[in-house]
Amino acid sequence: MEYNTQKTQLHMPEYGRIIQQLVERCKELPTKEERNEMAMAIIDFMGQRNPQLRDEENYKHKLWDHLFILADYDLDVESPYPFPTREQLAERPKKMEYPKLQGDFKFYGKSILQLIEKAIELEPGDEKEALIEVIANNMKKSYNVYNKEHVTDDVIFRHLKELSENRLDLTGIDSLEKSKIYYTNNNNRNNKNSSNNNNNKNQPNKRRHNNNHKNRK
């Protein structure tokens, strides 16, 4: 028996003529029970022919939608999912809008916006200031990667202020190096380094003392 597959093949060529013929055969079966059984077999076959679909969310639902499309929206079977209409599939998906990341800000990414929102929610204190510094430093790295050029801190501070709608403001300092958190962290690192250096200096003296003790024996 010959089947007219030209129309559907233009839309879903990945399934091939064999599956299309099976779908047409399923439509011709006399009882709904037979059609249901064959439809399930076709779904399994479609999944085998296109294993990459299994990595997608709700892939079973997509397979049933594809089956209905292959049947030209005319298939009387029991589906675990509601079949789509031509009108629904013809609708274009709504455009996702990221108004804050347009123009000068598009390279910062959504994660920066999420960190900014988190910083805004925090109560004033060291934790909030530390997070703001992390945000500013990451913004600076993103800017340099995207633009392949050095950016001054005042530009980052201006962008941060605008992205946070004036709720996070570092424009009162000259640079990241002069922020309160930066100085605190550096002082801690310097103190730690000094402590390590002192320990290292004392170790040779200890070894000499042990050697002298051994010689006396």
Side-chain angles (χ1 to χ4, degrees):
M1 182 179 293
E2 294 293 333
Y3 297 102
N4 183 8
T5 62
Q6 183 176 5
K7 181 178 179 180
T8 305
Q9 289 285 13
L10 292 174
H11 294 285
M12 310 195 74
E14 63 270 25
Y15 289 111
R17 181 174 298 179
I18 295 177
I19 289 180
Q20 180 63 49
Q21 291 175 347
L22 291 174
V23 173
E24 296 297 332
R25 173 59 182 158
C26 181
K27 293 170 64 174
E28 294 177 351
L29 293 175
T31 67
K32 193 167 187 176
E33 183 179 355
E34 291 177 296
R35 292 193 297 273
N36 289 340
E37 185 177 349
M38 188 166 185
M40 291 293 296
I42 293 173
I43 289 293
D44 290 339
F45 189 28
M46 291 168 66
Q48 293 173 15
R49 292 289 297 271
N50 293 274
Q52 71 278 3
L53 289 176
R54 298 185 181 185
D55 297 331
E56 300 183 17
E57 186 177 0
N58 299 324
Y59 86 98
K60 278 284 189 181
H61 193 170
K62 292 181 180 180
L63 288 177
W64 279 97
D65 286 350
H66 292 174
L67 174 64
F68 197 55
I69 296 170
L70 289 167
D72 200 21
Y73 304 90
D74 180 23
L75 183 61
D76 185 16
V77 296
E78 293 180 359
S79 167
Y81 311 99
F83 282 138
T85 63
R86 293 182 188 271
E87 292 72 23
Q88 288 174 334
L89 293 178
E91 291 180 1
R92 293 185 177 181
K94 293 181 180 180
K95 184 179 180 181
M96 299 182 68
E97 296 182 357
Y98 298 97
K100 291 182 178 181
L101 295 177
Q102 297 299 316
D104 294 338
F105 305 139
K106 61 184 178 182
F107 47 83
Y108 287 130
K110 189 176 180 181
S111 59
I112 288 294
L113 291 181
Q114 293 172 339
L115 287 174
I116 288 174
E117 292 300 324
K118 176 63 177 177
I120 291 171
E121 294 172 0
L122 290 176
E123 295 294 328
D126 289 347
E127 183 181 0
K128 182 167 186 170
E129 291 184 22
L131 180 55
I132 294 173
E133 185 194 4
V134 168
I135 294 169
N137 277 307
N138 277 282
M139 288 174 64
K140 190 171 184 178
K141 291 176 183 177
S142 297
Y143 189 102
N144 289 334
V145 169
Y146 182 84
N147 292 281
K148 304 297 182 182
E149 62 183 25
H150 178 72
V151 60
T152 57
D153 289 345
D154 62 300
V155 172
I156 298 299
F157 297 159
R158 189 172 68 251
H159 289 179
L160 175 61
K161 185 177 181 181
E162 190 168 344
L163 285 170
S164 66
E165 297 177 348
N166 299 323
R167 288 176 289 180
L168 300 180
D169 190 359
L170 291 177
T171 56
I173 62 176
D174 296 331
S175 66
L176 285 170
E177 286 77 7
K178 293 186 178 181
S179 68
K180 175 183 175 182
I181 299 298
Y182 181 91
Y183 269 132
T184 302
N185 291 341
N186 270 306
N187 286 337
N188 290 338
R189 284 195 293 267
N190 291 335
N191 291 336
K192 185 177 180 180
N193 290 335
S194 298
S195 176
N196 289 337
N197 291 335
N198 290 333
N199 290 335
N200 291 336
K201 289 179 180 178
N202 292 331
Q203 287 178 359
N205 293 333
K206 186 177 180 180
R207 284 196 296 270
R208 284 197 298 270
H209 175 76
N210 290 336
N211 290 334
N212 291 336
H213 181 73
K214 290 179 180 178
N215 292 334
R216 284 198 298 270
K217 287 183 178 180

